[in-house]
Amino acid sequence: MNSPNQKSSEKTKIIIKKTNKGDKGPEGNSIVSYIVSVLIMFIVLSALYSFVSGKTEKKAENIPISELAADIKSGVVKNIIVKGDVLLVEYTSGDEKTSKKETDVALSQTLVNYSVTKEQLALISINIKEESSLSYWLMNLAPIIFPILFIFVFIWFISRQVKGAGIQALTFGQSKARMIDPNDKNSRVTFKDVAGCKEAKEELAEIVDFLRNPKKFLDIGARIPKGILLMGPPGSGKTLLARAVSGEAGVAFFSISGSEFVEMFVGVGASRVRDLFLLAKKNAPAIIFVDEIDAVGRIRGAGLGGGNDEREQTLNQILVEMDGFEPNEKVIVMAATNRPDVLDPALLRPGRFDRRVTLDLPDRKDREDILIVHSKEKPFAEDVNLKVIAERTPGFSGADLYSLMNEGAILAARENRTTVAQYDLIRSIEKVMLGPERKSHILSKKEKEITAYHEAGHAVLASLLPYADPVHKISIIARGHAAGYVLKLPLEDSRMQSKKEFLDDIAVSLGGYVTEKLLFDDLTTGPSNDLQVSTALARDMVTKYGMSDVLGPVALEGQGGKVLFGRGVEEKEFSQKVAADIDSEVSRIMREAHEKAKKVITENRSLLDAIAKRLIEKETIERMEFETILVAHGITPKQKLDIEHQV
Ligand code: ADP
Ligand code: MG
Ligand code: ZN
């Protein structure tokens, strides 16, 4: 019986849910609510209209005026009430009937026209009643009012859309922070969910301890850091780790991203900061997490354009709030950035974000652990060996590994298998690294030959130059933007690179270019990315790492803190002469690498041909097969990693 009721309450719930999600912006749910409110207004008004206008027409029988005239003549009518054009006729028998007269003509006149005599008329009483004013107005004005009303509602609706942001400004000022309730078991993240990051977790354990039991620290007079800055490349788990801290400590977690502070209206960012801190203090102990703080925390006074003032105010407000903390307030601010180099020094001074926790890209062991974390709930085939996957994914971030696992599962599901196999994961590595295969990208015979030689050129150099990373796989199946690719794997996970490695890397990058030029006496657009990458590397060697003898041990790179029209502009703090020196050094490095590459390719022409031929035939060569080609040409493959590769 009450099922319709339940349904409607369900509906309300859904609408409420939607509005809660509304921190994405005014669009979407508000359009729905506008339409709903307009519809409701329409329904209410039309109901009112029909109610009022319908009231006069009682259930009484309606008779034509001619019949009424006849009845009057026969003397059975007792009285008539005239209400506008409507006639309520009461008979001597007690019956009531209604009728209608012509508009603008008096009833008596009408009846006389129907040959009712004056005497007969005198016998009945005729009451003329004013129409009730409401119904009168409604009846007469509704046809005019309704369209006008609609036009107004329409205009109002449209104008709200247009200046949505303006109206939004009235409603916010409140922080847009999302709060994660410590008691919400479903979204709770703990240190267990964060693999690797051992040092970072150790650092943060102290914070967890404080949040769990602040008294211990306060009693002994210890001051707990107010701000913790998590630094690390994108996807290395900064956000995850911050949430884990709150999960471990069981405190409320308010998260807002730096860019959410900076919206269209000046002053809003600052007031949001105030609000956020107030909110957090109310819920103390709590963690405030400002994600991507570099959006507001860039070096001040180092930019052009309007957005800057707003940023400064927001940043100032953050600093003021942090300074205003009482030591016993039990609110800790965490922030994350992948650009610590552009942060304002004021943020980093003691008493603010003085604790800095660095997250690195995971090494081999950590990668394996992360894979294990994300393999929960994924049924694996027997052959899955996460160690091998971890080993083949140097440079992958936690987020990449997560997406690798996911891609693997998707591949298995697409092929209607119930378990994820090793082969799925291996294919996913390349997909995550280079984008999906473009099988539809069909090469002409000539293109295929050029691509094969291009990639073979890279491969020959990677195998023969002593400091280059060995080849793992070569393919001429297009992927993402690349027409073909050579996967290389470092012999070990190393954090540091040497000048010799850089030089060999540049030469390997030029392998495709050199080969195309040498063999086809022509160039395609294929090597353009190779050239970009290697030139940038050469430039970094000169300006960042002090690897040029001409310029010597100087870092000439600007801090990159300036923003002009939304783009970073390098600040040049050196003279024209130095700039010219840099250019000539970069081109020298490139030239020498080119010579080296050319020499190796020419001397190993038969190897190059063999690899290219095999590529044209098979499109993909895996490491094992590649190494047999090397051995056949009298070259010892570079030492393998300690773990055997299995595919
Ligand atoms: P960011 O450093 O860019 O804030 P996130 O914390 O958002 O990176 O990480 C994105 C996703 O990558 C996480 O949701 C998680 O699934 C995965 N991830 C990153 N690092 C780790 C890690 N150390 N352990 C487990 N998963 C991780
Ligand atoms: Mg993040
Ligand atoms: Zn190339």
Side-chain angles (χ1 to χ4, degrees), residues 454-455 458 484-486 508-513 516 526-530:
H454 177 113
E455 300 307 333
H458 287 307
Y485 53 94
V486 174
V508 172
S509 292
L510 290 178
Y513 175 88
E516 282 188 32
S528 87
N529 186 50
D530 292 341

Side-chain angles (χ1 to χ4, degrees), residues 430 471-475 485-488 620-623:
E430 279 147 47
V471 172
H472 197 94
K473 177 177 177 175
I474 318 170
S475 171
Y485 53 94
V486 174
L487 290 188
K488 291 169 288 177
T620 300
I621 309 180
E622 292 285 348
R623 179 178 185 144

Side-chain angles (χ1 to χ4, degrees), residues 235 237-240 289 291-292 336:
K238 300 180 293 292
T239 311
L240 187 71
F289 178 59
D291 211 349
E292 319 288 349

Side-chain angles (χ1 to χ4, degrees), residues 144-215:
I144 309 164
I145 286 180
F146 267 96
I148 292 179
L149 203 69
F150 261 103
I151 289 168
F152 269 109
V153 167
F154 188 69
I155 290 173
W156 168 74
F157 176 75
I158 293 287
S159 70
R160 280 200 74 146
Q161 295 302 303
V162 171
K163 48 176 195 185
I167 282 168
Q168 196 191 11
L170 305 175
T171 58
F172 78 14
Q174 309 111 303
S175 78
K176 279 193 164 185
R178 290 166 297 274
M179 179 178 158
I180 294 175
D181 191 348
N183 303 317
D184 183 355
K185 293 278 178 291
N186 285 332
S187 59
R188 187 165 159 191
V189 177
T190 62
F191 280 166
K192 268 214 308 291
D193 301 307
V194 187
C197 314
K198 205 157 147 268
E199 295 86 358
K201 281 200 266 187
E202 269 164 23
E203 281 264 359
L204 294 170
E206 191 183 304
I207 309 295
V208 171
D209 199 15
F210 167 77
L211 287 167
R212 269 204 202 133
N213 96 73
K215 198 164 175 307

